[in-house]
Amino acid sequence: MTAVPIVTRDVEVAASALRDGAIVVYPTETFYGLGALASHREAIERLARAKLRPEGKPLPLVAADAASALALWASPSDRARRLAAAFWPGPLTIVAPAVAGLPSLLALDGQVAVRVPGAALARELCRAAGGPVVSTSANPSGGPPPDAVDALDPALLARVDVVLDGGRTPGGLPSTVVGLGPDGPRLLRDGVVPWADVERVLRSPLPSRGG
């Protein structure tokens, strides 16, 4: 079996691989993530199979900056913009109605999960690759998320194309996931950002528009 290339902080190599349809392991502000370019449907399908992702469970995305992330939503709400301004870059994933045209593995039921990661290397990877990247933990579904390259599951490692080694990640809790639907904001997953902090931001007065 051919060894999977491991590159140390070489974002350009990993970004080039993503553009070519590769599956890349890369560091985030919590754990190592498993990524494919959001615009590459075949790579996304390969990633879901590599992770043994259950059907009906969409894949979240990370983007280089807030503008790129907001563009993935059909019509970003004031709530989404306020949470983005307060917590991005950082470990808050926001689920909101998706822009048309995203692959179904990303936008199941018309919703897409997005964040701007706190890890600079992950943001640089999105920017160099030319668009948002899938960000699901780099472990087979149900397994422990890895905080270092040497903690990657060997079976999963055999199914990826490139590993971007950025050293050990903080680990701990995953990103907090918040849903912004017609019934109001909901906590979908506990994580690094406390729900009380999310509620505080959402309760704060809206900023004045203009003037």
Side-chain angles (χ1 to χ4, degrees), residues 60-162:
L61 295 171
V62 289
D65 49 45
S68 301
L70 293 172
L72 294 165
W73 292 325
S75 181
S77 64
D78 283 330
R79 283 172 170 162
R81 293 180 184 279
R82 291 162 70 187
L83 290 177
F87 297 109
W88 287 353
L92 183 77
T93 299
I94 303 171
V95 182
V99 70
L102 288 181
S104 59
L105 280 170
L106 304 179
L108 191 73
D109 297 328
Q111 307 282 311
V112 64
V114 189
R115 81 177 189 275
V116 177
L121 206 61
R123 297 196 301 274
E124 291 170 21
L125 180 62
C126 294
R127 189 171 292 111
V133 172
V134 170
S135 182
T136 181
S137 56
N139 54 272
S141 289
D147 62 1
V149 168
D150 60 11
L152 289 165
D153 180 89
L156 178 70
L157 190 59
R159 295 191 287 268
V160 305
D161 302 304
V162 175

Coordinates of all heavy atoms in Angstrom, one line a residue, residues 60-162:
P60 N -20.7 19.4 7.3 CA -20.5 20.8 7.5 C -19.4 21.4 6.7 O -18.5 20.6 6.2 CB -20.2 20.9 9.0 CG -19.6 19.6 9.4 CD -20.3 18.6 8.5
L61 N -19.3 22.7 6.6 CA -18.3 23.4 5.9 C -17.5 24.4 6.7 O -18.1 24.9 7.7 CB -18.9 24.1 4.7 CG -19.6 23.3 3.6 CD1 -20.3 24.2 2.6 CD2 -18.6 22.4 2.9
V62 N -16.3 24.7 6.3 CA -15.6 25.8 6.8 C -15.2 26.7 5.7 O -15.1 26.3 4.5 CB -14.3 25.4 7.6 CG1 -14.6 24.8 8.9 CG2 -13.4 24.5 6.8
A63 N -15.1 28.0 6.0 CA -14.8 29.0 4.9 C -13.6 29.9 5.4 O -13.4 30.0 6.6 CB -16.0 29.9 4.6
A64 N -13.0 30.6 4.5 CA -11.8 31.4 4.8 C -12.2 32.7 5.6 O -11.4 33.2 6.4 CB -11.1 31.8 3.5
D65 N -13.4 33.2 5.4 CA -13.8 34.4 6.0 C -15.3 34.5 6.1 O -16.0 33.7 5.5 CB -13.2 35.7 5.3 CG -13.4 35.6 3.8 OD1 -14.6 35.3 3.4 OD2 -12.5 35.9 3.0
A66 N -15.8 35.5 6.8 CA -17.2 35.6 6.9 C -18.0 35.8 5.6 O -19.1 35.3 5.4 CB -17.6 36.8 7.9
A67 N -17.4 36.6 4.7 CA -18.1 36.9 3.4 C -18.3 35.6 2.7 O -19.3 35.3 2.1 CB -17.3 37.9 2.6
S68 N -17.2 34.7 2.7 CA -17.3 33.4 2.0 C -18.4 32.5 2.6 O -19.1 31.8 2.0 CB -16.0 32.7 1.9 OG -15.0 33.5 1.3
A69 N -18.4 32.6 4.0 CA -19.4 31.7 4.7 C -20.8 32.2 4.5 O -21.7 31.4 4.2 CB -19.0 31.7 6.2
L70 N -21.0 33.5 4.6 CA -22.4 34.0 4.4 C -22.9 33.8 3.0 O -24.1 33.6 2.9 CB -22.4 35.5 4.7 CG -22.1 36.0 6.2 CD1 -21.9 37.5 6.3 CD2 -23.2 35.5 7.1
A71 N -22.0 33.7 2.1 CA -22.5 33.4 0.7 C -23.0 32.0 0.5 O -23.7 31.7 -0.5 CB -21.3 33.7 -0.3
L72 N -22.8 31.2 1.5 CA -23.4 29.8 1.4 C -24.8 29.7 1.8 O -25.5 28.7 1.7 CB -22.5 28.9 2.3 CG -21.1 28.7 1.8 CD1 -20.2 28.0 2.9 CD2 -21.1 27.8 0.5
W73 N -25.4 30.8 2.4 CA -26.7 30.8 2.8 C -27.6 31.6 1.9 O -27.1 32.6 1.2 CB -26.8 31.5 4.2 CG -26.2 30.7 5.3 CD1 -26.2 29.3 5.4 CD2 -25.5 31.1 6.4 NE1 -25.6 28.9 6.5 CE2 -25.1 30.0 7.2 CE3 -25.2 32.4 6.9 CZ2 -24.4 30.1 8.4 CZ3 -24.5 32.5 8.1 CH2 -24.1 31.4 8.8
A74 N -28.8 31.2 1.7 CA -29.7 31.8 0.7 C -30.0 33.3 1.0 O -30.0 34.1 0.2 CB -31.0 31.0 0.7
S75 N -30.2 33.6 2.3 CA -30.5 34.9 2.7 C -30.1 35.1 4.2 O -30.9 34.8 5.1 CB -32.0 35.3 2.5 OG -32.2 36.6 2.9
P76 N -28.8 35.4 4.5 CA -28.4 35.4 5.9 C -29.2 36.4 6.7 O -29.4 37.5 6.4 CB -26.9 36.0 5.7 CG -26.5 35.6 4.3 CD -27.8 35.8 3.5
S77 N -29.7 35.9 7.8 CA -30.5 36.7 8.7 C -29.7 37.6 9.6 O -28.5 37.4 9.7 CB -31.4 35.7 9.6 OG -30.5 35.0 10.5
D78 N -30.4 38.5 10.3 CA -29.6 39.4 11.2 C -29.0 38.5 12.3 O -27.9 38.8 12.8 CB -30.6 40.4 11.9 CG -30.9 41.5 10.9 OD1 -30.0 41.9 10.1 OD2 -32.0 42.1 11.0
R79 N -29.7 37.4 12.8 CA -29.2 36.6 13.8 C -27.9 35.9 13.4 O -26.9 35.8 14.1 CB -30.2 35.5 14.2 CG -31.4 36.0 15.1 CD -32.4 34.9 15.2 NE -33.4 35.2 16.2 CZ -34.6 34.7 16.3 NH1 -34.9 33.7 15.4 NH2 -35.4 35.0 17.3
A80 N -27.9 35.4 12.1 CA -26.7 34.8 11.6 C -25.5 35.7 11.5 O -24.4 35.4 11.9 CB -27.0 34.2 10.2
R81 N -25.8 36.9 11.1 CA -24.8 37.9 11.0 C -24.2 38.3 12.3 O -23.0 38.6 12.5 CB -25.3 39.2 10.2 CG -25.6 38.9 8.8 CD -26.1 40.1 8.0 NE -26.5 39.9 6.7 CZ -25.7 39.8 5.7 NH1 -24.4 40.0 5.8 NH2 -26.1 39.6 4.4
R82 N -25.1 38.4 13.3 CA -24.7 38.8 14.7 C -23.8 37.7 15.3 O -22.8 38.0 15.9 CB -25.9 39.1 15.5 CG -26.6 40.4 15.1 CD -28.0 40.5 15.7 NE -28.0 40.7 17.1 CZ -29.1 40.7 17.8 NH1 -30.2 40.4 17.3 NH2 -29.0 40.9 19.1
L83 N -24.2 36.5 15.1 CA -23.4 35.4 15.7 C -22.1 35.3 15.0 O -21.0 35.1 15.6 CB -24.2 34.1 15.5 CG -25.4 33.9 16.4 CD1 -26.1 32.6 16.1 CD2 -25.0 34.0 17.9
A84 N -22.1 35.5 13.7 CA -20.8 35.5 12.9 C -19.9 36.6 13.4 O -18.7 36.3 13.6 CB -21.1 35.6 11.4
A85 N -20.4 37.8 13.6 CA -19.6 38.9 14.0 C -19.0 38.6 15.4 O -17.9 39.0 15.7 CB -20.4 40.2 14.0
A86 N -19.8 38.0 16.2 CA -19.4 37.8 17.6 C -18.4 36.6 17.8 O -17.5 36.7 18.7 CB -20.6 37.5 18.5
F87 N -18.5 35.6 17.0 CA -17.8 34.3 17.3 C -16.8 33.9 16.2 O -16.1 32.9 16.4 CB -18.8 33.2 17.6 CG -19.6 33.5 18.8 CD1 -21.0 33.8 18.7 CD2 -19.0 33.4 20.1 CE1 -21.7 34.0 19.9 CE2 -19.8 33.7 21.2 CZ -21.1 34.0 21.1
W88 N -16.9 34.5 15.0 CA -15.9 34.0 14.0 C -14.8 35.0 13.9 O -14.9 36.2 14.1 CB -16.7 34.0 12.6 CG -17.7 32.9 12.5 CD1 -17.9 31.8 13.3 CD2 -18.6 32.7 11.4 NE1 -18.9 31.0 12.8 CE2 -19.3 31.6 11.7 CE3 -18.9 33.5 10.2 CZ2 -20.3 31.1 10.8 CZ3 -19.8 33.0 9.4 CH2 -20.5 31.9 9.7
P89 N -13.6 34.5 13.6 CA -13.2 33.1 13.5 C -13.3 32.4 14.8 O -12.9 33.0 15.8 CB -11.8 33.1 13.0 CG -11.5 34.5 12.5 CD -12.4 35.3 13.3
G90 N -13.8 31.2 14.8 CA -13.9 30.4 16.1 C -14.9 29.2 15.9 O -15.5 29.0 14.9
P91 N -15.0 28.5 17.0 CA -15.7 27.2 17.0 C -17.2 27.3 17.2 O -17.8 26.6 18.0 CB -15.0 26.4 18.1 CG -14.7 27.5 19.1 CD -14.3 28.7 18.3
L92 N -17.9 28.1 16.4 CA -19.3 28.2 16.4 C -19.8 27.8 15.0 O -19.5 28.6 14.0 CB -19.9 29.5 16.8 CG -21.4 29.5 16.8 CD1 -21.9 28.8 18.1 CD2 -22.0 31.0 16.8
T93 N -20.5 26.7 14.8 CA -21.1 26.3 13.5 C -22.5 26.7 13.5 O -23.3 26.5 14.4 CB -21.0 24.8 13.3 OG1 -19.6 24.4 13.4 CG2 -21.6 24.4 12.0
I94 N -22.9 27.4 12.4 CA -24.3 27.9 12.3 C -25.0 27.2 11.1 O -24.4 27.1 10.0 CB -24.3 29.5 12.0 CG1 -23.5 30.2 13.1 CG2 -25.7 30.0 11.9 CD1 -23.3 31.7 12.9
V95 N -26.2 26.7 11.4 CA -27.0 26.0 10.4 C -28.1 26.9 10.0 O -28.9 27.3 10.8 CB -27.5 24.7 11.0 CG1 -28.3 23.9 9.9 CG2 -26.4 23.8 11.5
A96 N -28.2 27.2 8.7 CA -29.2 28.1 8.2 C -29.6 27.7 6.7 O -28.8 26.9 6.1 CB -28.7 29.5 8.2
P97 N -30.6 28.2 6.1 CA -31.1 27.8 4.8 C -29.9 28.1 3.8 O -29.4 29.1 3.7 CB -32.3 28.7 4.5 CG -32.8 29.0 5.9 CD -31.7 29.1 6.8
A98 N -29.7 27.0 3.0 CA -28.6 27.0 2.0 C -28.9 27.7 0.7 O -30.0 27.8 0.3 CB -28.2 25.6 1.7
V99 N -27.9 28.3 0.1 CA -28.0 28.8 -1.2 C -28.3 27.7 -2.2 O -27.9 26.5 -1.9 CB -26.7 29.6 -1.6 CG1 -25.5 28.6 -1.8 CG2 -26.9 30.5 -2.8
A100 N -28.9 28.0 -3.3 CA -29.2 26.9 -4.3 C -28.0 26.4 -4.9 O -27.0 27.1 -5.1 CB -30.2 27.5 -5.3
G101 N -28.0 25.1 -5.2 CA -26.9 24.5 -6.0 C -25.9 23.7 -5.2 O -25.0 23.1 -5.8
L102 N -26.0 23.7 -3.9 CA -25.0 22.9 -3.1 C -25.3 21.5 -3.2 O -26.5 21.1 -3.2 CB -25.0 23.4 -1.6 CG -24.4 24.7 -1.2 CD1 -24.5 24.9 0.3 CD2 -23.0 24.8 -1.7
P103 N -24.3 20.6 -3.2 CA -24.6 19.1 -3.2 C -25.4 18.7 -2.0 O -25.4 19.3 -0.9 CB -23.2 18.5 -3.1 CG -22.3 19.6 -3.6 CD -22.9 20.9 -3.2
S104 N -26.3 17.7 -2.2 CA -27.2 17.3 -1.2 C -26.5 16.8 0.1 O -27.0 16.9 1.2 CB -28.1 16.2 -1.7 OG -27.4 15.0 -2.2
L105 N -25.2 16.3 -0.1 CA -24.5 15.8 1.1 C -24.1 17.0 2.0 O -23.7 16.8 3.2 CB -23.2 15.1 0.7 CG -23.5 13.6 0.3 CD1 -22.2 13.0 -0.3 CD2 -23.9 12.8 1.5
L106 N -24.2 18.2 1.5 CA -23.9 19.4 2.2 C -25.1 20.1 2.7 O -25.1 20.8 3.8 CB -23.0 20.4 1.4 CG -21.7 19.9 0.8 CD1 -21.1 21.0 0.0 CD2 -20.8 19.4 1.9
A107 N -26.2 20.0 1.9 CA -27.4 20.8 2.2 C -28.6 20.0 2.3 O -29.6 20.2 1.6 CB -27.6 21.9 1.1
L108 N -28.6 19.0 3.1 CA -29.8 18.1 3.3 C -30.9 18.9 3.9 O -30.7 19.7 4.8 CB -29.4 16.9 4.2 CG -30.4 15.8 4.3 CD1 -30.4 15.0 3.0 CD2 -30.1 14.9 5.5
D109 N -32.1 18.7 3.3 CA -33.3 19.5 3.8 C -33.1 21.0 3.7 O -33.8 21.8 4.4 CB -33.6 19.1 5.3 CG -34.0 17.7 5.5 OD1 -34.6 17.1 4.5 OD2 -33.7 17.1 6.5
G110 N -32.3 21.4 2.7 CA -32.1 22.8 2.4 C -31.4 23.6 3.4 O -31.4 24.8 3.4
Q111 N -30.7 23.0 4.4 CA -29.9 23.7 5.4 C -28.4 23.3 5.2 O -28.1 22.2 4.9 CB -30.3 23.2 6.8 CG -31.8 23.4 7.1 CD -32.2 24.8 7.3 OE1 -31.6 25.5 8.2 NE2 -33.3 25.2 6.7
V112 N -27.6 24.3 5.5 CA -26.1 24.0 5.4 C -25.5 24.6 6.7 O -25.8 25.6 7.2 CB -25.5 24.7 4.2 CG1 -25.5 26.2 4.2 CG2 -24.0 24.2 4.0
A113 N -24.5 23.8 7.2 CA -23.8 24.1 8.5 C -22.4 24.7 8.1 O -21.7 24.1 7.3 CB -23.6 22.9 9.3
V114 N -22.1 25.9 8.6 CA -20.9 26.6 8.2 C -20.2 27.3 9.4 O -20.9 27.7 10.4 CB -21.2 27.8 7.2 CG1 -20.0 28.4 6.6 CG2 -22.1 27.3 6.1
R115 N -18.9 27.4 9.4 CA -18.2 28.3 10.3 C -16.9 28.8 9.7 O -16.5 28.2 8.7 CB -17.9 27.6 11.6 CG -16.7 26.7 11.7 CD -16.4 26.1 13.1 NE -15.2 25.4 13.2 CZ -14.9 24.1 12.8 NH1 -15.9 23.4 12.3 NH2 -13.7 23.6 13.0
V116 N -16.4 29.8 10.2 CA -15.0 30.3 9.9 C -14.1 29.8 11.0 O -14.3 30.3 12.2 CB -15.0 31.8 9.8 CG1 -13.5 32.3 9.5 CG2 -15.9 32.3 8.6
P117 N -13.2 28.9 10.8 CA -12.5 28.2 11.8 C -11.5 29.2 12.5 O -11.0 30.1 11.9 CB -11.8 27.1 11.1 CG -11.6 27.6 9.7 CD -12.9 28.4 9.4
G118 N -11.3 28.9 13.8 CA -10.3 29.7 14.5 C -8.9 29.4 14.2 O -8.0 30.2 14.4
A119 N -8.6 28.2 13.6 CA -7.3 27.8 13.2 C -6.9 28.6 11.9 O -7.5 28.4 10.9 CB -7.2 26.3 13.0
A120 N -5.8 29.3 12.0 CA -5.3 30.1 10.8 C -5.0 29.2 9.6 O -5.3 29.5 8.5 CB -4.1 30.9 11.2
L121 N -4.4 28.0 9.9 CA -4.1 27.1 8.9 C -5.3 26.6 8.1 O -5.2 26.5 6.9 CB -3.3 25.9 9.4 CG -2.3 25.2 8.5 CD1 -1.2 26.1 8.0 CD2 -1.7 24.0 9.2
A122 N -6.4 26.4 8.8 CA -7.6 25.9 8.1 C -8.2 27.0 7.2 O -8.7 26.8 6.1 CB -8.6 25.5 9.2
R123 N -8.1 28.3 7.7 CA -8.6 29.4 6.9 C -7.7 29.6 5.7 O -8.2 29.8 4.6 CB -8.6 30.7 7.7 CG -9.6 30.7 8.9 CD -9.9 32.1 9.5 NE -8.7 32.8 9.9 CZ -8.1 32.7 11.1 NH1 -8.6 31.8 12.0 NH2 -7.0 33.4 11.4
E124 N -6.4 29.5 5.9 CA -5.5 29.6 4.7 C -5.7 28.5 3.7 O -5.7 28.7 2.5 CB -4.0 29.5 5.2 CG -3.6 30.7 6.1 CD -2.2 30.4 6.7 OE1 -1.5 29.5 6.2 OE2 -1.9 31.1 7.7
L125 N -6.1 27.3 4.2 CA -6.4 26.2 3.3 C -7.6 26.5 2.4 O -7.6 26.3 1.2 CB -6.6 24.9 4.0 CG -6.9 23.7 3.2 CD1 -5.7 23.3 2.3 CD2 -7.2 22.5 4.2
C126 N -8.6 27.0 3.0 CA -9.8 27.4 2.3 C -9.5 28.5 1.2 O -10.0 28.4 0.1 CB -10.9 27.9 3.2 SG -11.6 26.7 4.3
R127 N -8.7 29.5 1.7 CA -8.4 30.6 0.8 C -7.6 30.1 -0.4 O -7.8 30.4 -1.6 CB -7.7 31.6 1.6 CG -7.4 32.9 0.8 CD -6.9 34.0 1.7 NE -7.9 34.4 2.7 CZ -7.8 34.2 4.0 NH1 -6.8 33.5 4.5 NH2 -8.7 34.6 4.8
A128 N -6.6 29.3 -0.1 CA -5.7 28.8 -1.2 C -6.4 27.8 -2.1 O -6.1 27.7 -3.3 CB -4.5 28.1 -0.6
A129 N -7.4 27.0 -1.6 CA -8.1 26.1 -2.4 C -9.1 26.7 -3.3 O -9.6 26.1 -4.3 CB -8.8 25.0 -1.5
G130 N -9.5 27.9 -2.9 CA -10.4 28.7 -3.8 C -11.9 28.6 -3.4 O -12.8 29.0 -4.1
G131 N -12.2 28.1 -2.2 CA -13.6 28.0 -1.7 C -13.7 27.3 -0.4 O -12.7 26.7 0.1
P132 N -14.9 27.2 0.1 CA -15.2 26.5 1.3 C -14.8 25.0 1.2 O -14.9 24.4 0.1 CB -16.7 26.6 1.5 CG -17.1 27.9 0.7 CD -16.1 27.9 -0.4
V133 N -14.5 24.4 2.4 CA -14.1 23.0 2.4 C -14.9 22.3 3.5 O -15.3 22.8 4.5 CB -12.6 23.0 2.8 CG1 -12.1 21.6 3.1 CG2 -11.7 23.6 1.7
V134 N -15.2 21.0 3.2 CA -15.9 20.2 4.1 C -15.1 20.1 5.4 O -13.8 20.0 5.4 CB -16.1 18.8 3.6 CG1 -16.6 17.8 4.6 CG2 -17.1 18.8 2.4
S135 N -15.7 20.1 6.6 CA -15.0 20.0 7.8 C -15.8 19.1 8.8 O -16.6 19.5 9.6 CB -14.9 21.4 8.5 OG -14.2 21.3 9.7
T136 N -15.5 17.8 8.7 CA -16.0 16.8 9.6 C -14.8 16.2 10.3 O -13.7 16.1 9.7 CB -16.9 15.8 8.9 OG1 -17.4 14.8 9.8 CG2 -16.1 15.0 7.8
S137 N -14.9 15.7 11.5 CA -13.8 15.2 12.2 C -13.2 14.0 11.5 O -13.9 13.2 10.9 CB -14.2 14.8 13.6 OG -15.2 13.9 13.6
A138 N -11.9 14.0 11.5 CA -11.1 13.0 10.7 C -11.0 11.6 11.5 O -10.0 11.2 11.9 CB -9.7 13.5 10.4
N139 N -12.2 11.0 11.6 CA -12.3 9.7 12.2 C -13.5 9.0 11.5 O -14.4 9.6 11.0 CB -12.6 9.8 13.7 CG -13.8 10.7 14.0 OD1 -13.7 11.9 14.2 ND2 -15.0 10.1 14.1
P140 N -13.4 7.6 11.5 CA -14.6 6.9 11.1 C -15.8 7.3 11.9 O -15.6 7.5 13.1 CB -14.2 5.5 11.2 CG -12.7 5.5 11.2 CD -12.4 6.7 11.9
S141 N -17.0 7.4 11.4 CA -18.2 7.7 12.2 C -18.3 6.9 13.4 O -18.2 5.7 13.4 CB -19.5 7.6 11.3 OG -19.5 8.5 10.3
G142 N -18.4 7.6 14.6 CA -18.5 6.9 15.8 C -17.2 6.7 16.6 O -17.2 6.4 17.8
G143 N -16.1 7.0 15.9 CA -14.8 6.9 16.5 C -14.4 8.2 17.2 O -15.0 9.2 17.0
P144 N -13.3 8.1 18.0 CA -12.8 9.3 18.6 C -12.1 10.3 17.7 O -11.4 9.9 16.8 CB -11.8 8.8 19.7 CG -11.3 7.5 19.0 CD -12.5 6.9 18.3
P145 N -12.4 11.6 17.8 CA -11.7 12.6 16.9 C -10.3 12.7 17.3 O -9.9 12.8 18.4 CB -12.5 13.8 17.1 CG -13.1 13.7 18.5 CD -13.4 12.2 18.7
P146 N -9.4 12.8 16.3 CA -8.0 12.9 16.6 C -7.5 14.3 16.8 O -7.9 15.2 16.1 CB -7.3 12.3 15.3 CG -8.3 12.6 14.2 CD -9.6 12.6 14.8
D147 N -6.6 14.5 17.7 CA -6.0 15.8 17.9 C -4.5 15.9 17.4 O -3.8 16.9 17.6 CB -6.0 16.2 19.4 CG -5.3 15.3 20.3 OD1 -4.6 14.3 19.8 OD2 -5.3 15.5 21.5
A148 N -4.1 14.8 16.7 CA -2.7 14.8 16.2 C -2.7 13.8 15.0 O -3.5 12.9 15.0 CB -1.7 14.4 17.3
V149 N -1.7 14.0 14.1 CA -1.6 13.1 13.0 C -1.4 11.6 13.4 O -2.0 10.7 12.8 CB -0.5 13.6 12.0 CG1 -0.2 12.6 11.0 CG2 -0.9 14.9 11.4
D150 N -0.6 11.4 14.5 CA -0.3 10.1 14.9 C -1.5 9.4 15.6 O -1.4 8.2 15.9 CB 0.9 10.0 15.7 CG 0.9 10.8 17.0 OD1 -0.2 11.3 17.3 OD2 1.9 11.0 17.7
A151 N -2.6 10.2 15.8 CA -3.8 9.6 16.3 C -4.8 9.2 15.3 O -5.9 8.7 15.6 CB -4.4 10.6 17.4
L152 N -4.5 9.4 14.0 CA -5.5 9.1 12.9 C -5.7 7.6 12.8 O -4.8 6.8 13.0 CB -4.9 9.6 11.6 CG -4.9 11.2 11.4 CD1 -4.1 11.6 10.2 CD2 -6.4 11.7 11.2
D153 N -7.0 7.3 12.6 CA -7.3 5.9 12.5 C -6.6 5.3 11.2 O -6.8 5.9 10.1 CB -8.8 5.7 12.3 CG -9.3 4.3 12.2 OD1 -9.5 3.7 13.2 OD2 -9.4 3.9 11.0
P154 N -5.9 4.2 11.3 CA -5.2 3.7 10.1 C -6.1 3.3 8.9 O -5.7 3.6 7.8 CB -4.5 2.4 10.7 CG -4.4 2.6 12.1 CD -5.6 3.4 12.5
A155 N -7.3 2.8 9.2 CA -8.2 2.5 8.1 C -8.7 3.7 7.4 O -8.8 3.7 6.2 CB -9.4 1.7 8.7
L156 N -9.0 4.8 8.1 CA -9.3 6.0 7.5 C -8.2 6.6 6.7 O -8.3 7.1 5.6 CB -9.8 7.0 8.6 CG -10.2 8.4 8.0 CD1 -11.5 8.3 7.2 CD2 -10.4 9.4 9.1
L157 N -7.0 6.6 7.4 CA -5.8 7.1 6.7 C -5.6 6.5 5.4 O -5.1 7.2 4.4 CB -4.6 6.9 7.6 CG -3.3 7.6 7.3 CD1 -3.5 9.1 7.3 CD2 -2.2 7.3 8.3
A158 N -5.9 5.2 5.2 CA -5.7 4.5 4.0 C -6.6 5.0 2.9 O -6.4 4.7 1.7 CB -5.8 3.0 4.2
R159 N -7.7 5.8 3.3 CA -8.7 6.2 2.3 C -8.6 7.7 2.0 O -9.5 8.2 1.3 CB -10.1 5.9 2.9 CG -10.4 4.4 3.0 CD -11.8 4.1 3.3 NE -12.3 4.4 4.6 CZ -12.2 3.6 5.7 NH1 -11.8 2.4 5.5 NH2 -12.7 4.0 6.9
V160 N -7.6 8.4 2.5 CA -7.4 9.8 2.2 C -6.2 10.0 1.3 O -5.4 9.0 1.1 CB -7.3 10.7 3.5 CG1 -8.5 10.4 4.4 CG2 -6.0 10.4 4.2
D161 N -6.1 11.2 0.7 CA -5.0 11.4 -0.3 C -3.8 12.2 0.3 O -2.7 12.0 -0.2 CB -5.6 12.2 -1.5 CG -6.8 11.4 -2.1 OD1 -6.6 10.2 -2.5 OD2 -7.9 12.0 -2.2
V162 N -4.1 13.2 1.2 CA -3.0 14.0 1.7 C -3.3 14.3 3.1 O -4.5 14.5 3.5 CB -2.9 15.3 0.9 CG1 -1.8 16.3 1.5 CG2 -2.5 15.1 -0.6

